[in-house]
Amino acid sequence: MADPASTPLGKMLLEEITPVVMVLCTPYVEESCLKNGLSLIQLLSPFCDFTNIDVPVRTASDQPYRLRKFKLRLFYSSDIRQPNLEVAKERLKKVITHVGEKNFLESSDPSQVNNLLSRPESEMLPSWFQFFNKELVRTLSFSDHEAFDHPVACLLVVSSKDDEPVNRFVDLFNTNKLPSLLNDGAMDPKIMKHYLLLHDNQDGPFNKATKLLADMRNAFGQNDCQIICFNSSQDGKIHHQDNPWAPFKSDALPTENLGGFLNLDDLNEIKDFMQELSSKHIIPYMEQKIRVLNQQVSATRKGFRNQIKNLWWRKGKEDTIDTPNGPVYTFNSIESQIRILGDYAFMLGDYELALSNYRLISTDYKLDKAWKRYAGVQEMMGLTYFLLDQSRKDAEYCMENAFNTYLKLGSAGRRNTTRCGLWWAEMLKTRDQLKEAATVYFRICGEDTLHSAVMLEQASFCYLLSKPPMLHKYGFHLVLSGDHYKKCDQIKHAIRTYRSAIPVYKGTTWSLIKDHVHFHIGQWYALLGMYDVAVTHMLEVLASTHQSKTTQELFLRDFLQIVQKTGKTFEVLKLQLPVINISSLKVIFEDQRTNASAAAARVKESLWRSLEEDIIPSSTARSNWLELQSKIMPRKYKESNICVAGEALKVDIEFKNPLQIPISVSSVSLMCELCANPEEDANSSNNEVQNNEDRTSTSSGDINSCLILSEVDFSLEGGETTVVQLTVTPRIEGILKIVGVKWKLSSAVVGLCNFEFNPVNRVVRGRRKQHSPSSDLKFLVIKSLPRLQGFIHSLPEKTYAGDLWPLVLELSNQSKSPVKNLKMKISNPRFLYAGNQKELNADFPACLKKKMNVEKSGRHANVNKTLQNLYHFPEDISVQEETSLSWPLWFHAAVPGNIPLYITIYYEMEGVSSIMKYRTLRMHYNLQVLPSLDVSFQLSTRPSRSQEFLLRMDVVNKTSSECFQVHQLSSVGQQWEISLLQPVDSILPSQSLFAGQSLSCFFMLKDRRRSSTSEDSIPSLSHIQSDVRLGPQDNSEAFFDVSSSPLADFHDCERSSRGMSSQGCEYKVDFVFITQLLKGNSDSSSNTPLVFSHHACDCSPSSMSPISWLVDGPRTIQHNFSAPPCEVNLKMTITNSSDAIASVHINTFDSPSSNNQLINDATTSQPPEHQSGWSEIPIVNDTKIITTEALTTRVPKSLSLESVPQFIWSGTSSTKLVLQPRSTAEIPLQICVFTPGIYDLSNYILNWNLTPVNDGENQGEANKSSGVCQGYPYYLSVLESNFKD
Amino acid sequence: MTSTACFIIVSRNDIPIYEAEVGSAAKREDAAQLHQFVLHAALDIVQDLAWTTSAMFLKAIDRFNDLVVSVYVTAGHTRFMLLHDSRNEDGIKSFFQEVHELYIKILLNPLYLPGSRITSSHFDTKVRALARKYL
């Protein structure tokens, strides 16, 4: 380690622990000195510090050594007392405040921790700490328990102007005027005196002074008197380079010329005087005193005998004195003498001697329990050890001991603790034990918050400078220090420390810490009136989600207050409140494609594209590269998004409130730039280039502005998220750029958010292109075009399945030019269907009714039925300027569920724009269809008559409250005749189906075509009973016409949607079940009943296989079984109703069990679709077609239950025959019965195979080319005949 | 049970991933940030001490006035830091060990990204229960 004396602590000690010279002077002396702007002490001070005095010193030992450094401290006698605490505090406070002002202005914050550490150490550590520490130590001077502040000598100064200077000298050292410390015995009043006569050369000639000097020498002795002549310069203009007095007069004004009357000779004279005073008088005096004291101490305390005596003596004293400060020692007590000896030795640099004396006295003080003195001695021992650089451990131990002892004294030793701590910390710092030093600084903190603040700040720097740097601790102590500063109203210091801590906490996730720091800095800046800076810091804490509700409220309130105080609206680029979800940004703009509603805009683009695929002219949708499109469209039009002047661009943005408290957001609007198209400037009426001005000058109401921006106000509850739609409407052609969004928080702060460099998730209406995100927000505004607005009137949002309802589509054209060539495509033709224009004003539901007298025209509409949901409006239809067009639509709620409806309408404009020739209008509706009636049909053949069928209809009302009135059941087509088996009144007297009620009805269905053998004899249409009235029979109300539009059209849609051919198959029958709902009370204003139609398609009976047969024969026979077995002849009539040649194979089984077995085999081995009577049921179909599979299952069951007596089929067990198309054959069958009983003759099966005559005629039948049929139950009763022959 | 206790799990990147005030004393608004400050400052000491011993429990390593910081360092250098005002070293040690087990269970969760915030409410209740038991 370097020489301890050259360390900061060493230097400080050599400066502070030096002999004190008491100065006594007359007013004239002061007056003369003040001519130079200096007091006497200030005048002399620069010459009291000797860096190389080189004086031989001989203390206790005989070996002299040379003293190099020496310093005298000069004090007026009035200052030799313990400094006033309050004054000292005030002075320190002033020092700190001054530094605070100075540093605050020039402080520059390092933003990064690395920058912080890269600076040199001297720069990092504020220099004022040392100054402050020195001042702090000085507040403790002249304490009564220490001897190094005792005056060693007294300098008496008298001016030559004084009357009778010799007497004045005597007067000066009058005991009454001496400091109290000297008088009350704490200090030795018998000190060396030195007499100085000061002669001001301006006052007169020098010779008078020499005479006075001679008088003095006579009076006080030859050696102790001296004279100084000064103020030799007459004009006072001498300017000293490197002014030696500057450090000693801190409050000097810069303009003041210190020492102006002192020329070089004067300075030399003063210097020589001080040197002589030190080397010739003070040092020898001290040497001598040391020697004397040492001798005294040796005599009384050294040696074994003295020690025993001392110990015994002290033991005796123990009980008597117990004052808190220990016993009072006067200067001439032996303890004080030892202390003086030690301090003198210390001051003269004889540390060994000092240490031995300190050791000696410390045990004494300890035994006496004079704790303050003990601590003082321990402190000095520590310092001595340090300067000797011998034992670090001892030094530290002594310092700690002293520190703790002072601490034990409580408030009395408070300031001593501080001083001791400072020295200790300095000592540790010198030895690079910075961490320990920091702890010591921390321990110094006491009652005085201001001092604590400084100590804490010093501690923080210790942590920063330690290796490796302890940044966390650094930050923490800075913050602690800042808090203390704040408590003492040193706001500038507080801000400074907090700001220094920011780099440590930058980017930290310790959120509470970060909030605390920024919030307080903000608050304090606001206190200083620096609102701008305050706001920037407050912004950091604004979106603190983790804080409690009250804290969030506090933050927001303070922030708004500060903003208010600034008196202007702040524009903050990254305002965190509310949070904008940039990824949620959606730009909705309309080029060719326009939306009727906001709902339509939210639908996926691909859905629309697939819908519009075949109605948009392909040349624009998908251009051939061979076509020179650039001729038609300039390149830039293709590259940027197009929007139309006068039409609004919509931007959806999500705002989120991260806090728990509600916030109000107002004036949310887009920031846009619109510059008129430079190429079209010439003919554009508005040449003005609208640039950034638009950002500020846009208001929603200003018609003349080129941009119309919407403004939205909303408030967000805690944690709420809301999507806001903002619009911008360009009014002139040009290029529009959406720059960002701005909003006002609590009508105080304006937040801005730029979209520029954020990825934008667009929902574009135009072509998709790969662009940089910034160009996504750039739009080419073209001349205004006609834009149709569409609306469907009275489309219900919620309805019951089956609802049939006329609607009106209204298309209005607000522009100045007509549109034509309208086409419409509907995504779901089962639900919506375009009608004829003449139906527009038709009376509903009367228009659906059958008109008996009118020639059926319904089929005509179906002939030119549009293909694939595409509806062309008639050629002559166009929407003229500023008119609207109404078009009827039919609505039918086909299936229950949530049904989205997409409608797109294509139209063309005439010669308005070269860029856009057509546009589409997209409409989107969502329907909620509730289940209403569950209708199922079950068809079975009448075994006896193959042309007649039994129809069972089951209807269940599934609604919870509605009551349906059944109206009619109709079969579609003309080949079926339907009739009720029993009057409806008997099963449903009220004719209405209440909620939850179910109804079963039986009908007779007759195939009219089969019933008549020849095709020609089809009765006239009017006689066909294809409809059955289920309502009141006496009602003359007409049937609904299921064969005309719209019922027929909807029925076709139903069929096609279920994957069936539109052409009805001859073996299958479709039904339409129509009910009515009387809405008297609720929403419907009219009392016209709602019509509900339910469609069932392709009902077919199980046995409607192409082969049908009948077993005919006797039912009951009587037979005498004593005779040969009874033979029964039966006849089987087999009919082939198909158009193919059928080969039929009849197998008979005698054993019922084997029969059973075979059936099971047949059902398992054959795929279900080959079994007759099965048909796939579509899932969407709500009207279930139940076909009986019971036939197959019932038979085995019955067989197993009954124990059937044996009978056998006689003849061949297998018969094979071929049937021509539409022919009938008869086969004789015979059984043999052995015992009387009832027999079930169903144990036979029919295998049939179809060989089609010509392909393609019956596609539906083609796959059903073979089948297996189980025999019917045919019960034969055989009785024992009683008569015998 | 101690009147004041603040438990924080700090990831190896010095990011707090779990925080809980587990003291029985009424929660004070300003205390929470003081606790964070003290614990944050103690990270420096942990940094020094963690490599001087093979034990995971570092005992009381730092103090601020009457608040003591006890630290437990896992093998992955995740630090469990407890700020407390009582001197129950055994209890604290057991507390740390049990929390370590819980933390390992959290780590075993394949959906948990090490170093991210622990949001499991189950973990939270368990830690609080342990705090009641041991502290």
Side-chain angles (χ1 to χ4, degrees), chain A residues 34-311:
Chain A
L34 280 172
K35 285 179 185 170
N36 293 301
L38 297 162
S39 68
L40 177 63
I41 286 184
Q42 282 169 346
L43 185 73
L44 296 177
S45 288
F47 311 102
C48 293
D49 203 353
F50 310 99
T51 46
N52 197 0
I53 193 169
D54 202 16
V55 177
V57 178
R58 197 173 65 86
T59 52
S61 63
D62 290 336
Q63 193 66 38
Y65 61 93
R66 300 196 85 82
L67 191 67
R68 300 274 166 199
K69 265 182 151 179
F70 192 69
K71 192 189 168 183
L72 288 177
R73 286 184 292 157
L74 305 179
F75 289 97
Y76 287 119
S77 62
S78 56
D79 289 339
I80 299 192
R81 58 188 165 87
Q82 288 179 11
N84 189 337
L85 260 181
E86 293 307 314
V87 174
K89 256 189 184 169
E90 208 53 47
R91 197 173 72 237
L92 284 170
K93 196 173 167 186
K94 230 169 82 185
V95 166
I96 292 171
T97 315
H98 175 71
V99 169
E101 300 284 342
K102 209 177 89 195
N103 283 14
F104 188 69
L105 294 173
E106 62 194 30
S107 64
S108 61
D109 285 334
S111 55
Q112 292 290 327
V113 175
N114 291 342
N115 294 354
L116 200 73
L117 290 170
S118 61
R119 292 182 305 167
E121 190 172 315
S122 54
E123 230 177 89
M124 259 191 278
L125 200 65
S127 54
W128 61 277
F129 282 157
Q130 242 174 351
F131 181 65
F132 174 81
N133 289 348
K134 210 183 272 176
E135 287 291 319
L136 198 61
V137 168
R138 278 187 187 159
T139 61
L140 278 170
S141 47
F142 307 110
S143 60
D144 50 358
H145 71 294
E146 284 157 335
F148 51 76
D149 284 332
H150 293 190
V152 173
C154 178
L155 184 65
L156 297 121
V157 189
V158 170
S159 170
S160 56
K161 266 203 291 187
D162 281 309
D163 301 336
E164 297 186 25
V166 180
N167 288 348
R168 298 291 298 165
F169 278 121
V170 178
D171 285 346
L172 278 177
F173 201 79
N174 190 332
T175 43
N176 296 335
K177 288 183 190 167
L178 287 181
S180 58
L181 282 169
L182 284 166
N183 285 336
D184 63 12
M187 293 178 188
D188 188 358
K190 276 179 264 163
I191 51 174
M192 188 196 87
K193 294 190 192 75
H194 199 79
Y195 304 95
L196 176 66
L197 185 66
L198 202 66
H199 178 70
D200 191 339
N201 273 344
Q202 286 175 339
D203 290 342
F206 182 63
N207 40 20
K208 185 194 167 193
T210 40
K211 191 176 160 284
L212 285 171
L213 180 66
D215 290 348
M216 280 165 59
R217 288 199 166 142
N218 288 335
F220 306 114
Q222 189 66 29
N223 290 332
D224 294 340
C225 299
Q226 263 179 311
I227 185 165
I228 290 180
C229 295
F230 77 134
N231 286 356
S232 310
S233 171
Q234 295 300 318
D235 53 0
K237 293 280 164 58
I238 293 176
H239 188 77
H240 298 272
Q241 291 249 317
D242 193 14
N243 199 318
W245 295 282
F248 298 94
K249 192 165 165 136
S250 55
D251 52 349
L253 297 168
T255 52
E256 214 172 349
N257 188 12
L258 297 175
F261 289 96
L262 302 172
N263 63 16
L264 208 61
D265 289 340
D266 293 342
L267 289 187
N268 283 335
E269 205 174 333
I270 296 169
K271 207 184 273 177
D272 289 345
F273 164 72
M274 288 311 295
Q275 176 116 22
E276 206 185 315
L277 176 69
S278 307
S279 55
K280 296 239 175 88
H281 297 95
I282 292 176
I283 295 175
Y285 171 76
M286 287 172 74
E287 281 175 313
Q288 197 181 349
K289 184 126 193 206
I290 286 171
R291 280 197 296 271
V292 169
L293 288 172
N294 194 34
Q295 221 162 15
Q296 217 174 336
V297 169
S298 303
T300 52
R301 301 298 304 281
K302 297 271 168 74
F304 185 69
R305 198 168 62 97
N306 284 336
Q307 279 183 13
I308 297 288
K309 203 169 80 182
N310 182 40
L311 212 63

Side-chain angles (χ1 to χ4, degrees), chain A residues 643-677:
Chain A
C643 68
V644 180
E647 290 177 19
L649 260 93
K650 294 169 188 161
V651 178
D652 284 351
I653 311 172
E654 194 179 281
F655 285 88
K656 182 172 193 270
N657 179 8
L659 302 182
Q660 297 168 37
I661 48 172
I663 54 171
S664 82
V665 181
S666 58
S667 309
V668 184
S669 67
L670 291 170
M671 296 188 292
C672 298
E673 286 173 12
L674 176 69
C675 52
N677 202 336

Side-chain angles (χ1 to χ4, degrees), chain A residues 519 522-523 534-542 555 558-559 562:
Chain A
F519 177 65
Q523 254 187 346
V535 165
T536 56
H537 282 283
M538 290 303 273
L539 279 173
E540 298 273 339
V541 299
L542 217 48
F555 284 177
D558 278 21
F559 172 71
I562 290 169

Side-chain angles (χ1 to χ4, degrees), chain B residues 22-37:
Chain B
V22 289
S24 60
K27 200 180 168 187
R28 277 167 58 223
E29 197 61 42
D30 55 333
Q33 83 222 6
L34 176 68
H35 293 169
Q36 274 208 356
F37 268 119

